[in-house]
């Protein structure tokens, strides 16, 4: 029965594709869990990935080839997760979580209602005249007046996202959008830079 089911999958290109997709996304989900030390996992599964890759090249049994390929896509999903993690260096905004900082940023999403105010996402551009990477979620009053494309100077106490509920881990929920820092009621100064044509169109 199990072999018949496997044969049906192996003989269908669409089912093979779906199996590989499921393996990949399952790998992403599994490795995003804090089960083990992430650095050890990364090098361990990178080694397994290399071994499986060469095994698949020389394996003629279709069923074993398929199962190994699924495991390979599972590991690829894990690697995709690890490569998406930011580095905690001076060139990344998350490095300054837990400190009050002033940095230049760009509003990359229209304001969204949040509680008694609004929230916007700012892409960090520079800090102390040095280029910096990272995004911050800003919590602002309703009358903040910010809009998509605005260049701003942001002064705030950067915080690491924390908290869980029965539905989701808040930090991981924000991490999927590359957000690793929070700013509650920051002091904002609008900078009068020319606004590109595309951002004018989006604003309209």
């Amino acid at each position: 029965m199990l072999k018949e089911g496997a044969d049906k999958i192996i003989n269908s290109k669409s089912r093979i594709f779906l199996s590989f997709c499921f393996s990949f996304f399952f790998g992403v989900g599994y490795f995003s869990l804090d089960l083990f030390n992430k650095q050890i996992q990364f090098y361990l599964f990178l080694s397994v990935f290399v071994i499986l890759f060469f095994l698949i090249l020389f394996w003629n049994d279709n069923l074993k080839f398929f199962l190994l390929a699924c495991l390979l896509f599972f590991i690829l999903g894990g690697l995709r997760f690890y490569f998406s993690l930011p580095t905690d260096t001076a060139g990344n905004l998350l490095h300054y979580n837990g400190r009050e900082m002033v940095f230049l940023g760009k509003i990359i999403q229209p304001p969204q209602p949040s509680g008694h105010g609004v929230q916007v996402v700012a892409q960090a551009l520079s800090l102390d005249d040095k280029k910096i990477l990272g995004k911050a979620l800003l919590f602002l009053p309703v009358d903040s007046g910010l809009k998509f494309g605005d260049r701003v100077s942001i002064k705030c106490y950067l915080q690491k996202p924390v908290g869980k509920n029965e539905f989701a881990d808040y930090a991981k929920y924000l991490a999927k959008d590359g957000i690793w820092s929070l700013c509650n009621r920051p002091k904002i100064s609008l900078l009068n830079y020319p606004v590109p044509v595309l951002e004018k169109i989006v604003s309209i």
Side-chain angles (χ1 to χ4, degrees), residues 16 40 50 54 61 91 104 139 152 169-170 172 188-189 200:
I16 289 175
I40 293 175
V50 173
F54 285 104
D61 186 295
L104 302 184
F139 295 96
V152 291
D169 184 313
Y170 187 53
K172 290 177 182 175
I188 304 288
S189 298
K200 288 184 179 179

Side-chain angles (χ1 to χ4, degrees), residues 28-43:
V28 173
Y30 174 81
F31 286 104
S32 67
L33 300 175
D34 298 322
L35 298 178
F36 306 101
N37 179 279
K38 285 184 169 55
Q39 188 174 13
I40 293 175
Q41 276 196 77
F42 179 82
Y43 290 110

Side-chain angles (χ1 to χ4, degrees), residues 6-20:
D7 287 338
K8 287 182 180 179
I9 295 175
I10 293 171
N11 294 323
S12 170
K13 291 182 179 180
S14 61
R15 289 176 179 174
I16 289 175
F17 176 75
L18 288 174
S19 297
F20 289 165

Side-chain angles (χ1 to χ4, degrees), residues 163-203:
K164 295 183 178 181
N165 58 31
E166 63 272 23
F167 301 109
D169 184 313
Y170 187 53
K172 290 177 182 175
Y173 173 76
L174 294 179
K176 70 180 175 58
D177 295 319
I179 300 171
W180 302 87
S181 301
L182 303 178
C183 283
N184 190 29
R185 300 275 174 168
K187 294 181 180 178
I188 304 288
S189 298
L190 187 62
L191 305 176
N192 295 318
Y193 290 150
V195 179
V197 174
L198 177 61
E199 291 175 6
K200 288 184 179 179
I201 293 173
V202 172
S203 177

Side-chain angles (χ1 to χ4, degrees), residues 35-197:
L35 298 178
F36 306 101
N37 179 279
K38 285 184 169 55
Q39 188 174 13
I40 293 175
Q41 276 196 77
F42 179 82
Y43 290 110
L44 172 63
F45 284 95
L46 183 61
S47 302
V48 174
F49 169 79
V50 173
I51 294 170
L52 286 178
F53 179 79
F54 285 104
L55 279 176
I56 285 176
L57 290 179
F58 301 103
W59 214 314
N60 295 321
D61 186 295
N62 287 340
L63 179 57
K64 292 179 180 178
F65 183 93
F66 170 73
L67 293 175
L68 273 177
C70 286
L71 185 55
L72 186 60
F73 275 89
F74 171 78
I75 293 171
L76 280 173
L79 293 179
R80 173 62 182 85
F81 168 75
Y82 286 126
F83 285 129
S84 71
L85 294 176
T87 54
D88 188 359
T89 64
N92 200 302
L93 191 65
L94 70 83
H95 179 73
Y96 304 95
N97 286 348
R99 285 183 265 177
E100 185 174 73
M101 305 299 299
V102 178
F103 63 97
L104 302 184
K106 172 184 171 183
I107 305 304
I108 59 172
Q109 289 183 9
Q112 301 293 327
S114 176
H116 298 292
V118 295
Q119 64 181 35
V120 296
V121 178
Q123 174 71 57
L125 300 175
S126 65
L127 189 153
D128 294 334
D129 296 324
K130 294 180 181 178
K131 185 178 179 180
I132 191 171
L133 302 174
K135 299 176 187 176
L137 183 62
L138 314 180
F139 295 96
L140 301 163
V142 175
D143 59 353
S144 65
L146 292 181
K147 59 185 182 299
F148 174 83
D150 282 343
R151 267 71 168 178
V152 291
S153 172
I154 304 167
K155 180 180 181 180
C156 74
Y157 183 82
L158 291 167
Q159 296 174 287
K160 177 182 177 181
V162 293
K164 295 183 178 181
N165 58 31
E166 63 272 23
F167 301 109
D169 184 313
Y170 187 53
K172 290 177 182 175
Y173 173 76
L174 294 179
K176 70 180 175 58
D177 295 319
I179 300 171
W180 302 87
S181 301
L182 303 178
C183 283
N184 190 29
R185 300 275 174 168
K187 294 181 180 178
I188 304 288
S189 298
L190 187 62
L191 305 176
N192 295 318
Y193 290 150
V195 179
V197 174

